[in-house]
Amino acid sequence: MAPPLNPKAPEFYPKNRAQEPNFPSHTTFSVKPGKLRQPKCLPPRLLKQKVWVHKNRNFSSRKPLPPPKESVLKSLFGDKTSVMIRNIPNIFGRKDLLRILDNHCRRENSVQQQTPSSYDFLYLPMDFVKQANLGYAFVNFTSSVAAERFRREYDNFLWVDFGYKKICEISEAKYQGKEEYTQHFKDSRFPCHTNDYLPVILSPPSDGFTCYTLTTLGYRVSTRGGGTGRRIHVA
């Protein structure tokens, strides 16, 4: 039987590897920056298990923050309701954006919301020669809360699911509200062959569930022979 350990025994420093004992797994080491000290061999009953303590004693692992409530949801645009969507894939048409917006409103309204998400205006500028969009669009939502929800979902959104590497950007639009867009586009001329290139008003506003009708703004013109064109009224 081994003799009892002496708690007052001096510290042991091995001179070479041959004299180095097998340290138990709970042996502690003291290391200072820039210096590597030799391990101390202390009696087992004097060894204390070190416990890491954060400097901030009030520290605790934080859980993910829950989604903001309607009462505290603040928009970066203030009370603005119209947004500009940038970096849209050029192959998208108006129907594609309508489907994306409808799906977004449907997801938001599937959860009971104090303020529903809906929109009532959309314009996707087009290149009439290449028959492709110019990479941006304008949307007016019926409330600033709905506009903020859309911004949170699609700002910095990567269109990978659609086969593109563009990063979507959402910013405040120059014109605000359905009335301003109506006044701006009501006398506009569009030298195109289809009404799909014109801005539209949705009636009633689309919330992702209800059916709506599209009313175009402005009118198409015919440019046969390179002239100034003739006016074509549209609904």
Side-chain angles (χ1 to χ4, degrees):
M1 183 174 180
L5 297 177
N6 183 8
K8 299 182 179 180
E11 298 179 353
F12 172 75
Y13 296 94
K15 297 182 180 180
N16 51 52
R17 297 290 298 181
Q19 298 181 358
E20 185 176 353
N22 295 327
F23 293 100
S25 59
H26 53 266
T27 302
T28 59
F29 299 90
S30 177
V31 179
K32 293 184 178 180
K35 294 183 179 180
L36 180 62
R37 298 178 58 183
Q38 292 179 332
K40 297 181 180 180
C41 180
L42 299 178
R45 63 194 183 97
L46 296 182
L47 295 176
K48 296 183 179 180
Q49 185 180 3
K50 291 187 177 182
V51 180
W52 179 83
V53 179
H54 197 276
K55 292 182 179 180
N56 182 7
R57 297 184 180 273
N58 296 327
F59 173 82
S60 60
S61 57
R62 297 182 178 180
K63 297 181 179 180
L65 296 176
K69 298 180 180 180
E70 292 289 322
S71 57
V72 298
L73 184 61
K74 296 182 179 180
S75 173
L76 294 180
F77 309 140
D79 58 348
K80 308 297 184 181
T81 60
S82 299
V83 300
M84 181 179 183
I85 310 174
R86 302 176 185 268
N87 298 332
I88 300 175
N90 301 97
I91 198 174
F92 279 16
R94 189 175 68 192
K95 292 182 180 179
D96 299 314
L97 275 187
L98 287 172
R99 181 168 59 254
I100 291 173
L101 290 167
D102 289 341
N103 291 338
H104 163 76
C105 293
R106 187 181 301 111
R107 286 192 299 269
E108 294 293 337
N109 296 327
S110 60
V111 182
Q112 188 175 3
Q113 302 280 10
Q114 181 179 357
T115 304
S117 288
S118 59
Y119 66 103
D120 54 11
F121 173 83
L122 172 63
Y123 177 45
L124 177 64
M126 302 291 294
D127 186 325
F128 304 136
V129 178
K130 298 181 180 180
Q131 299 184 6
N133 74 70
L134 300 180
Y136 59 92
F138 302 95
V139 183
N140 181 68
F141 292 89
T142 56
S143 66
S144 59
V145 174
E148 173 64 14
R149 292 196 194 109
F150 182 78
R151 185 198 66 81
R152 293 195 176 198
E153 180 175 358
Y154 280 96
D155 193 29
N156 295 325
F157 175 79
L158 187 62
W159 302 97
V160 290
D161 294 339
F162 301 91
Y164 297 89
K165 296 183 179 180
K166 288 186 174 183
I167 300 178
C168 180
E169 296 180 9
I170 309 297
S171 60
E172 178 183 337
K174 177 181 179 180
Y175 298 99
Q176 291 294 322
K178 181 178 65 175
E179 291 73 16
E180 287 194 18
Y181 282 111
T182 302
Q183 293 296 324
H184 181 73
F185 287 111
K186 67 177 183 179
D187 294 326
S188 299
R189 298 189 303 171
F190 299 90
C192 56
H193 65 285
T194 175
N195 293 344
D196 293 339
Y197 294 172
L198 274 61
V200 291
I201 291 178
L202 288 73
S203 181
S206 175
D207 60 357
F209 295 100
T210 60
C211 297
Y212 53 84
T213 58
L214 300 178
T215 303
T216 57
L217 296 175
Y219 53 90
R220 290 188 291 117
V221 294
S222 174
T223 56
R224 296 177 182 176
T228 56
R230 60 186 181 87
R231 180 169 178 168
I232 303 176
H233 292 274
V234 294

